[in-house]
Amino acid sequence: AQKVTQAQTEISVVEKEDVTLDCVYETRDTTYYLFWYKQPPSGELVFLIRRNSFDEQNEISGRYSWNFQKSTSSFNFTITASQVVDSAVYFCALFDRGSTLGRLYFGRGTQLTVWP
Amino acid sequence: NAGVTQTPKFQVLKTGQSMTLQCAQDMNHEYMSWYRQDPGMGLRLIHYSVGAGITDQGEVPNGYNVSRSTTEDFPLRLLSAAPSQTSVYFCASRPNRGSNQPQHFGDGTRLSIL
């Protein structure tokens, strides 16, 4: 069965601190895709990154970086030098070809608050 | 580029009322879906469609109906609203069921049932 666990419900940091959001997933499929979405206070869902199961290279985009480790079934997200604008709920999600519904499996989200 | 458009953005209903949440996409996507978001629950799939005329249930379908008469539109109907349906509803689309492309989400509809 597919499952995504985001164990951190809420995280609070002070501006300029680094913060890592954890994501652990479960799937029996060998081909799958992992996503991160950001939901700012305005409520919309913003796509951040997609990673496929065959590419374990870490990715960096500005202050954002992602660490994908198949050995631990984790896809963690790090924000370096956090800013107040990073305050949002962050969702990790899984899609695999075995899903008969074609759906994304979402974690429950991590509420990140960055204080000035 | 409109993407996925949801209307209304906010709605308050009384228990027992019916309403339709509208969703339209202009990307010619075959796969469309409805999710509901509740605090601490993430997003849960209500219904989905793999093309015009084809719909099926997700994990939390009770109390909701859908139809897909065109590729562009995928409305969600609440036949008799209940307080448990107070939630934020998101419509999403992507090219097809097997596509690994990111889902495009609408901005959401915040629904309160009194």
Side-chain angles (χ1 to χ4, degrees), chain B residues 15-31:
Chain B
T15 297
Q17 287 186 316
S18 63
M19 81 159 293
T20 299
L21 279 61
Q22 302 292 344
C23 175
Q25 53 91 9
D26 61 358
M27 297 169 283
N28 201 31
H29 286 173
E30 293 181 353
Y31 186 87

Side-chain angles (χ1 to χ4, degrees), chain B residues 24-76:
Chain B
Q25 53 91 9
D26 61 358
M27 297 169 283
N28 201 31
H29 286 173
E30 293 181 353
Y31 186 87
M32 297 185 73
S33 54
W34 278 101
Y35 291 84
R36 61 176 287 174
Q37 181 185 10
D38 302 293
M41 298 295 293
L43 280 78
R44 294 182 291 170
L45 183 66
I46 305 172
H47 284 285
Y48 69 99
S49 169
V50 297
I54 306 171
T55 65
D56 208 341
Q57 296 180 351
E59 64 177 314
V60 288
N62 292 342
Y64 308 95
N65 280 349
V66 292
S67 60
R68 184 96 179 268
S69 57
T70 67
T71 299
E72 294 77 21
D73 300 301
F74 190 43
L76 178 72

